[in-house]
Amino acid sequence: MNDDSSIVRLAAMLRDEADRLRPGDKLPSSRELMRLHGVSPVTVSRALGRLAAEGLVVVRPGSGTYVAPAVARAEAAADLSWQTVTLGDRVVDDTDVVGLLTPPPEGVIPLTGGYLNPMTRPSRALSAAASRALRRPDAWDLPPLSGLPELRRWFAQEIGGDVTPADALVVSGGQAALTHALRALAAPGTPLLVETPTYPGALAAARAAGLRATAVPVDRDGVRPDLLAEAFAVTGARVFLCQPTLHNPTGATLSLERREQVLAIARAAGAFVVEDDYARYFATAPVPPPLAALDAHGTVVHINSLTKVLSPSMRVAGVIARGPAARRLRAGQIVESFFVARPLQETALEFVGSPAWRRHLSTLSTDLTARRNALVTALTSMAPAAEIHLVPRGGLHLWVRLPPDLDEDVVVETARRAGVLVSPGRIYYPAEPPGPRIRVTHSAAVHPAELTEGVRRLATALGGARSHDFS
């Protein structure tokens, strides 16, 4: 099925209905729209989102969707087509990232997403840390532009080796860190080496920066050093972006030997390695030290974010860099966003300096292990045709290969209709994917029991995908 066409059709029908109604009249509920038109919750949500963006309806959470006042609709009718010519053909595509960030509709089980569910987050401890932080007399003062000294010291100590607080820069979360790093290290139009598959947000940031993402294959042990060396030689790239610990989406972790090989290859190429260490706190078994701790030559730009391990709104990350690269990163942050809000930095510092931080990590390790095992067990017993790439040493996801005769998009849409969300594998590839795959997440479901029910729905979708035609 072409999901976009379903959204367009439903939006057109709702647009006609809104035109027939009076301002303030209520449209049918999402559940009623699903029943009447035979569409998924996601299709309803996106169709209503389009009408809201056009100013035709007003969505009131917990109440419903209403026809917008006439004034708002008149303002929305302005002809903005002139912008198409003025903007040109440079497109920033957020589709894949938005899909990962959009909350699931009621009754739908999320086996996708990149954050901890509300029950797993340390929300109370974060609120207590925020209260303490805001009581500080300088909480609303201008912070040091590179970040609070104590927070920079903490990020440096987390890496170890000879990293110092002077090497650390505090930025607004991991995605901002990726964007800053790519813009600072690579010029528009130049190649960027990335693992394949890889995190869709990284691919979107690279394209937005005008970089040409070139794929370097991974196996069960992470990126292949032989193919990395070949890619540097063929492309002339000067930046390699990687996730050496619990790689997203495969879950692979680079051995110490491979980490040393990656550093040696990058140094020989005169290239930087951007180490996205997003999962360092999700490891449930010992992993090798970060690349940055092994680096003595300024090769590595290291990113450590608190967002995924704490809360989506804890947009605080540390970037470790040295030399001219560090100066360029700092200058880029100042030009683009000045600094990270001091209250947020103070809250992060309060939390990681409290006993609640270690308690959270201990509890999280136990929870993630149980969730991973439950998801593996459910997939193995109820969906044996879906082959798990590997059982990782922690993390949030499982990478699953589908039978080659299945259409990945059909599987994902059938699963949506069955009430479970999974991530399509194609969004993780910078080029053509090698076959149908999906990423299945165990951290987003609120209760572990939902994982079993989610896999049951997915198994039903896998069986139905062979007989459904959504074209």
Side-chain angles (χ1 to χ4, degrees), residues 191-206:
L192 167 71
L193 300 187
V194 298
E195 297 158 315
T196 186
T198 193
Y199 166 53
L203 295 175

Side-chain angles (χ1 to χ4, degrees), residues 336-360:
E336 292 181 24
S337 57
F338 290 175
F339 50 80
V340 177
R342 184 162 191 152
L344 201 55
Q345 292 192 58
E346 296 280 10
T347 299
L349 185 60
E350 280 282 348
F351 186 85
V352 299
S354 72
W357 168 241
R358 291 299 165 190
R359 284 200 303 268
H360 171 58

Side-chain angles (χ1 to χ4, degrees), residues 276-299:
D276 180 7
D277 204 9
Y278 86 100
R280 65 177 291 106
Y281 303 116
F282 297 144
T284 56
V287 295
L291 294 173
L294 308 172
D295 173 33
H297 305 284
T299 299

Side-chain angles (χ1 to χ4, degrees), residues 6-23:
S6 296
I7 296 169
V8 170
R9 286 196 297 270
L10 180 58
M13 287 185 282
L14 293 176
R15 197 177 287 111
D16 290 341
E17 185 164 356
D19 287 339
R20 290 193 296 269
L21 298 174
R22 296 172 299 176

